[in-house]
């Protein structure tokens, strides 16, 4: 970096399943280094999953430096001589290693301890954001930091230059065509582009049939390993389909920017689709007893977009709704404008990394 770090921060990430946990943590870690000059160590328990989002990761290295972030493999031995940083962030209640907690308790000046929560659009998030909870020892507090969709939450991850880079890309047809061609995607003239990132339960077959029958020609881009069975069962007449290897996070962004419509899932791709300022349908990570459907409804209530989007989202998430509504959403010009307006209004809440650094500054 060449510049003295403002303070040191360790971010702990356990990969539960999929890519969202490491996806969010990697994005946050890079941004804290690049935009806020912090000395960041990212502890990850699953370097192989991490490597899919970032090809530079060496899955066998205990310690490596990537884009200014010290990436360390989370294993017991590494914590024997743990030196406390100024700030510890536990991502998604991942449970800090015992030895780390012991070092924090023994430190003369314990680090500021935060839990980064999962994203939800529910109203209660505003009341819980930034609240502390006392550790049973009575010596440490842990603060809950909630991402969210309003100014009373921590906001969303968004790099400082994102909207300028996105606008430049979206206004430059040649850059878009070059980028797509680099991935082997050459949409036919006039074809609309969609990306598909979903869980295996999504009703992909019904969506493929609608796109295939659409008067507008469509080109669908699917990351390898997603919707494999549905694609194998489908013989398209008009619809073009490109299956791609998983691309790096920054390329995935551009893919979302390049598309007319995106299917996204989980947390990080869901947020990136919003910053893409293009219409999307979200498949939320399924939870026990339909808890996720409450979160889906809370998001749609904030987002708006109309009754077709509600029905399409219900359909895509296996909760009724209908496939025709999904087909209409994919062809609705008003949703294109809506997506732009939404991205612009979200940007007013500030970004999560800046909000986090501001909070740390206030507490420290
Ligand atoms: O992989 P996910 O389903 O992750 C989920 C959610 O985060 C969920 O909330 C969490 O509880 C669960 O994991 C354990 O979807 P998500 O959140 O979109 O993360 C995918 C990441 O992969 C995101 O950072 C974008 C990135 N990605 C690429 O970098 N390249 C690609 O080609 C694709 C398709 C995704």
């Amino acid at each position: 970096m060449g510049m003295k770090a403002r303070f040191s921060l360790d971010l702990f990430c356990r990969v539960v399943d999929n890519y969202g946990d490491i996806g969010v943590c990697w994005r946050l870690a890079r941004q804290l280094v690049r935009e806020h000059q912090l000395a960041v160590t990212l502890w990850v328990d699953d370097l192989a999953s991490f490597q899919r989002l970032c090809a530079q990761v060496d899955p066998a290295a205990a310690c490596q430096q990537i884009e200014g972030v010290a990436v360390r493999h989370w294993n017991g031995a590494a914590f024997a001589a743990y030196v406390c940083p100024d700030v510890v962030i536990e991502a998604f209640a991942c449970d800090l290693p015992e030895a780390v907690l012991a070092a924090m308790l023994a430190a003369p000046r314990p680090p500021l301890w935060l839990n980064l929560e999962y994203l939800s659009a529910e109203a209660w998030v505003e009341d819980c954001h930034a609240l502390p909870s006392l550790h049973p020892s009575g010596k440490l507090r842990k603060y809950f930091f909630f991402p969210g969709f309003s100014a009373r939450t921590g906001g969303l991850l968004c790099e400082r230059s994102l909207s300028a880079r996105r606008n430049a890309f979206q206004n430059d047809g040649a850059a878009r065509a070059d980028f797509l061609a680099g991935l082997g995607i050459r949409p036919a003239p006039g074809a609309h582009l969609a990306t598909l990132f979903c869980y295996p339960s999504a009703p992909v077959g019904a969506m493929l049939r609608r796109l295939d029958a659409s008067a507008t020609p469509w080109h669908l881009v699917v990351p390898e390993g997603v919707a494999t069975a549905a694609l194998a069962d489908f013989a398209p007449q008009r619809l073009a389909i490109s299956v791609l290897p998983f691309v790096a996070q920054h390329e995935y962004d551009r893919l979302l920017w390049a598309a007319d419509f995106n299917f996204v899932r989980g947390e990080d791709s869901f947020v990136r689709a919003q910053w893409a300022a293009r219409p999307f349908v979200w498949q939320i990570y399924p939870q026990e007893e339909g808890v996720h459907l409450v979160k889906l409804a809370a998001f749609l209530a904030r987002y708006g977009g109309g009754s077709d989007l509600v029905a399409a989202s219900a359909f895509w998430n296996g909760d009724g709704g209908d496939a025709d509504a999904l087909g209409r959403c994919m062809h609705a010009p008003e949703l294109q404008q809506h997506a732009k307006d939404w991205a612009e209004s979200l940007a007013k809440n500030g970004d999560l990394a800046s909000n986090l650094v501001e909070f740390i500054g206030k507490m420290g």
Side-chain angles (χ1 to χ4, degrees), residues 16-21 23 27 53 118 197 199 223 246-249 252 265-270 285:
V16 178
D17 63 0
N18 303 318
Y19 305 100
D21 305 293
R27 198 181 288 294
L53 310 187
Y118 282 117
F197 186 39
Y199 298 115
F246 229 66
V247 294
Q249 245 182 1
Y252 181 62
R265 73 182 204 190
E267 177 162 327
D268 193 52
S269 60
F270 165 56
Y285 187 78

Side-chain angles (χ1 to χ4, degrees), residues 49-295:
S49 293
F50 187 7
Q51 193 191 26
R52 291 202 73 190
L53 310 187
C54 173
Q56 288 145 273
V57 173
D58 173 358
C63 185
Q64 54 199 306
Q65 196 76 15
I66 309 173
E67 293 191 41
V69 178
V71 173
R72 303 199 56 178
H73 195 201
W74 179 331
N75 62 26
F79 297 116
Y82 186 73
V83 177
C84 285
D86 299 315
V87 181
V88 167
I89 299 185
E90 184 181 341
F92 314 122
C94 64
D95 267 339
L96 295 177
E98 281 297 316
V100 169
L101 204 52
M104 286 162 66
L105 284 165
R109 191 169 178 270
L112 177 64
W113 181 15
L114 301 161
N115 189 67
L116 175 65
E117 297 288 333
Y118 282 117
L119 173 63
S120 170
E122 292 161 291
W124 60 263
V125 164
E126 294 187 339
D127 301 323
C128 297
H129 173 57
L131 288 187
S133 95
L134 196 61
H135 182 259
S137 67
K139 290 188 187 157
L140 284 175
R141 278 161 195 273
K142 171 157 81 169
Y143 292 87
F144 298 98
F145 201 89
F146 279 87
F149 296 92
S150 76
R152 291 181 52 208
T153 68
L156 299 173
L157 279 173
C158 177
E159 298 74 15
R160 216 172 263 161
S161 61
L162 187 141
S163 50
R165 284 187 293 116
R166 177 204 58 212
N167 292 346
F169 181 84
Q170 290 181 337
N171 290 327
D172 183 345
R176 175 183 184 268
D178 282 354
F179 167 71
L180 291 174
L183 295 174
I185 305 165
R186 289 180 182 79
H192 285 200
L193 192 73
T195 70
L196 172 65
F197 186 39
C198 63
Y199 298 115
S201 55
V204 172
M207 182 271 285
L208 293 175
R209 286 192 291 279
R210 287 217 168 30
L211 290 192
D212 206 29
S214 155
T216 312
W218 279 89
H219 192 124
L220 183 68
V221 179
V222 192
E224 215 163 46
V226 169
T228 317
L231 291 173
D233 284 350
F234 187 69
Q237 305 287 313
R238 273 163 56 78
L239 173 65
I241 300 177
S242 300
V243 175
L244 285 194
F246 229 66
V247 294
Q249 245 182 1
H250 63 274
E251 289 195 306
Y252 181 62
D253 262 347
R254 284 199 281 169
L255 205 49
L256 297 173
W257 301 348
D260 300 286
F261 198 93
N262 293 302
F263 289 89
V264 285
R265 73 182 204 190
E267 177 162 327
D268 193 52
S269 60
F270 165 56
V271 172
R272 303 316 281 186
Q274 294 171 63
W275 292 132
R278 292 282 157 90
F280 64 93
V281 164
W282 176 38
Q283 188 177 20
I284 186 167
Y285 187 78
Q287 287 176 286
E288 305 268 306
E289 295 172 20
V291 179
H292 60 292
L293 296 173
V294 177
K295 295 184 182 169

Side-chain angles (χ1 to χ4, degrees), residues 1 29-37 67 159-160:
M1 279 185 305
R30 270 180 300 169
Q31 212 185 330
L32 290 173
V33 169
R34 198 181 324 115
E35 297 181 15
H36 300 279
Q37 294 78 48
E67 293 191 41
E159 298 74 15
R160 216 172 263 161

